[in-house]
Amino acid sequence: MKSMLLAGFLSLCASVALAETRTYDLTISQVQSTIGGKAVPKIAVNGSIPGPVLRFTEGDEAVIRVTNALKEPTSVHWHGLLLPGLMDGAPGFNGFKGIAPGETFTYRFPIRQSGTYWYHSHSLGQEADGLYAGIVIDPKRPDPIQADRDYVVLLSDYHQDSAARIQANLKKSSEYYQYKRRTVGDLFKDTREQGVGKALKSAGEWGRMRMLPTDLSDVTGYRFLVNGLTTEQNWTGLFKPGERVRLRLVNASAMTMYDVRIPGLKMTVVAADGRPVEPLEVDEFRFGNAETYDVIVTPTEDRAYTLAAESIDREGFAIGNLAPREGMKGEIPTHRPRAVLKMGDMNMDVMMRDDPNMDMTNMDHSSGWAETGAPEGTVVLDYADLKSLTPHEDTREPTRFIKVVLGGNMERYIWTINGRTFAPEDGIQLAYNERVRLIYVNETMMAHPLHLHGMFVQLENGQEAARLPDKHTVIVPPGQTVSVLLSANEPGDWPYHCHLMFHMQSGMMTTLRVAKPESGFVPPAAEPQDDHSQHGEGHHAHH
């Protein structure tokens, strides 16, 4: 027995000896940015947008001193990291009050995971104004993902208007930034293609719902950046032909989802939201706000390859290059047609509930949002294809089903969860270690990337229970239902919100409370699960 204790003690000593304390000093300040030719105030970390990439090794102790040089409170949230609630960095949660002007707050927490993550402000619209950057955590064991080169590729959307101005404009009119309206010409085109009767019928249906089939995004006028650089500034990842190149893609955009491709190269997806997945070869993938994907590419030719992230509203590209030498550029692809929403992107139950006279039985129920415009034969990543590389330990059946309904009112520009805008006293209460199924019901015609702080959910995508992929952010397509499983094993009050910046700021956020083990909280009895089959189980759909 003594020998076992001694061995355990020595093992603990070795573990402690290997752990390092990695310290960073970050200063948040206002800068003048000239992207687009006009100097506008933005927010930088250590003087740059994006801020510096923070690098750790699993097992490290992170010590990050953040100094606020702004004239307003700030904060930094460590997106996707498992940590104590106070260190999560969301003001108003877990006793964290934000960082007042002129003050320094020291974040200190153990690094309990590996992978690709990012950090950003959780105060006002500061994330949209530039406060974001990547995090790379190496595993303490040999990395199962081997590569000759390794790059963080952080996508962002840059606007001349400040986040505060955009929010105010959207409150004046949700269509303030809508320039892609259907025209009389579109109606004539539909008439030629579909016939007069069908074209007029379709126009009438959209009119009755007071919606636009071109409503793919709330905000236009963005410039799209790769690691803070425009297309002309040409971010370049160097390679030698034949090398394996790891790209750690982070979508740090405030309001933009992308379709990502590298013409001429297959991408092997090896991690999603920081978690390793079984390698999956694709030609492109749809990239939701706040998600991360790690891919491996192997360029073999002595030429530049274009990394093209095309916004789903087809307003533009974030363009970078993989090249054997600096200064080389690949060909910029042409824009694909803008997707047009269809009746299948509506939540039929809600529409008929709100208007009993509306008969949707003979409408086209296919989804326009899911259409990427990719050529036939293109392999597009589907959530259903993601499979955890390693098996989960917790595969218990859930004991409760909790509905999370995503709603909104475009006329007032408010966005809701379970019918309410964010209020600190509201939320979802879970017992410690409770296993629940969260059922996301999207009653709107926009996709919402739903993000949970402090924990991962397992996406129910049809894979076996032990291999469901972990996600910290899940795209819930328009009109669809998606379900995830959660083991509530991180006590605290965790923000739970849409990661479209102005949806969150307009109310689409709530709190998921996990009781402490000693609290004795007893969850309510399980409720019967609704049948969501009528409006489609979105977890098998393109996301």
Side-chain angles (χ1 to χ4, degrees), residues 388-395 464-468:
S388 176
L389 184 65
T390 54
H392 299 298
E393 293 181 359
D394 190 353
T395 57
E464 60 180 302
R467 296 300 180 93
L468 298 177

Side-chain angles (χ1 to χ4, degrees), residues 106 138 142 452 486 507 512:
T106 300
D138 293 323
L452 174 62
L486 174 67
L512 194 145

